[in-house]
Amino acid sequence: FLGACAAFAPTTTLRPAVQRPASALRVAPAMELQVQDTWWGDKDYPDSVVLGIGKNVPSAVYGPASAVALAIGLYCVAQSNLLNILSGSTINGWYVAGSLMVPYSWGLHVACWIQKQNGK
């Protein structure tokens, strides 16, 4: 008990922190963010820019990726028996993790639709 309390007691054997002059501290310049308008209320579909880093991926990639993710997710849901009562002995973590591909496939499907509407 005393050893644990002594760990928090101040001692004079420790060196104080070395102070640096203010000129040695350099602050990186702030990057300017480019703000793009993503409002699409006056159109039937948004621009591809709403997909972020996936804005240049064609719909021919998003479509099959969505189908594969849906197939994996549905297989995992069926195998994990998530729709029944679960117990610690019947659950498989890999199937539960794989079942998360179902909502991910919906996002890929929406991305495919956006790209198809934008002619990509």
Side-chain angles (χ1 to χ4, degrees), residues 2 34 42 63 87 106 117:
L2 287 176
Q34 293 180 354
D42 54 346
S87 69
W106 175 81
Q117 296 298 319

Side-chain angles (χ1 to χ4, degrees), residues 45-109:
Y45 53 89
D47 290 329
S48 295
V49 74
V50 300
L51 298 176
I53 62 172
K55 65 184 175 188
N56 295 326
V57 177
S59 64
V61 173
Y62 279 132
S66 173
V68 168
L70 180 65
I72 291 171
L74 291 178
Y75 173 79
C76 289
V77 168
Q79 292 299 315
S80 67
N81 206 14
L82 287 176
L83 303 177
N84 294 329
I85 297 174
L86 298 174
S87 69
S89 62
T90 62
I91 195 166
N92 184 339
W94 290 107
Y95 286 145
V96 174
S99 67
L100 296 175
M101 295 297 280
V102 174
Y104 186 72
S105 72
W106 175 81
L108 289 171
H109 169 75

Side-chain angles (χ1 to χ4, degrees), residues 19-28:
Q19 291 185 351
R20 293 183 183 153
S23 62
L25 298 175
R26 299 183 193 266
V27 178

